[in-house]
Amino acid sequence: MNPEREAAKARFLGEHGLAQARREPLAGDASTRSYARLYPAGGAPLILMDQPPVLETPICPPLASDAERMALGYNAAARLAAGSIAAFVTTADYLRDHGLSAPRIVAFDVEAGLAVLEDLGDGLFATLIAQGEPEGPLYEAAVDVQVQLHDQRPPDLLQAQGLTWPLLTYDTLALKVATDTFLEWWPQFAGIPAFSRDAVAEWDALWAPVWVRGEAGATVFCHRDYHAQNLLWLPERKGAARVGLLDFQDALRAHPAWDLTHLLQDARRDVSPELEAAMLARYLDARPRLDPDAFRAEYRALASSNAARILGRVFARQALLGRAQYKAFMPRTWRYLERNLTDPALAGLKRWFDVFVPAEARA
């Protein structure tokens, strides 16, 4: 426990009349954020979000060149928000303005990296399904959120409570640096030699059309981490508002398939091919102007890119840092990737993985 950080939290809570609120730490994830449930005397529970700014690399300036972004580090190159409170507050306001259930912001301090949020409860999709809740209605509602968000083009700038935040594009560089983390981390984890210069050149050539199409199709608001552990069931609400939204501060403008790849190829729980197909059909039925075959092809390609990113930067990297629990998710993610790569349009990528990461080098 950092005494200086604890003092900053105490000051912040005191300034907003919450000095006496009991704090109960909540389970964390692989990020640099932490959360606690607050129990004010005589009031409803709230959530304290703690994101120490010093723990993150710089964010992407809106007009930065590719070279400048690479020099600033991974957050800028990949267009991540570095846990910014301004990003969270403005994105939450945008989502609520569109009839969706992001937490209401009770108080915030951007410089301190602290915010108090509405408590949407503990009804995570993943938890409820594990307890026996039928998954179909939950996934249908989650798809309906996507349809509602994709009905209009998002603004270039999000604004709320005196704050602004640019809604940048999930562009070719951001897609590339994320996917390329597989090259960096998987050999270290799997104990195989680093990929040769020729292997990397072939990798770049095979993925380049996927990344270019991903940027060309970047027309809708993208949550960016849209899966069953970031979605809450709020059955007392109506329509798409029944889905509570969390962890959306890295939002971008992206291809409409992107959030669906997270939802329907969830690295942390099995989503059957049948459920995946049904939910894609639901989405496409609601957006009849899309070409279904072209959309499914781009979905499979982007899902493959995402799987490579997850296996590299998320799972292999975290396992190498001593967080062994991430190893359990690897076989599932490989299954998703292998299923995507059966698409004849991705035959070159399938061949690359078969040659350079054979079955015995996969989790």
Side-chain angles (χ1 to χ4, degrees), residues 136-150:
L138 303 185
Y139 276 83
E140 288 173 356
V143 168
D144 293 347
V145 169
Q146 292 293 299
V147 172
Q148 188 163 318
L149 279 170
H150 297 175

Side-chain angles (χ1 to χ4, degrees), residues 67-149:
E68 289 167 337
R69 287 162 62 185
M70 292 297 290
L72 285 170
Y74 186 80
N75 281 335
R79 288 186 161 168
L80 292 166
S84 167
I85 297 296
F88 192 95
V89 170
T90 54
T91 306
D93 189 79
Y94 176 82
L95 293 167
R96 287 195 307 277
D97 281 351
H98 286 77
L100 299 173
S101 293
R104 180 175 54 86
I105 310 299
V106 176
F108 64 89
D109 184 327
V110 172
E111 297 301 320
L114 295 165
V116 174
L117 320 173
E118 174 188 9
D119 185 356
L120 295 179
D122 294 315
L124 291 173
F125 278 28
T127 302
L128 295 178
I129 294 168
Q131 293 171 348
E133 184 84 18
E135 63 182 2
L138 303 185
Y139 276 83
E140 288 173 356
V143 168
D144 293 347
V145 169
Q146 292 293 299
V147 172
Q148 188 163 318
L149 279 170

Side-chain angles (χ1 to χ4, degrees), residues 23 85 140 143 172 197 360:
R23 278 189 262 168
I85 297 296
E140 288 173 356
V143 168
T172 299
R197 184 177 300 176
E360 61 271 19

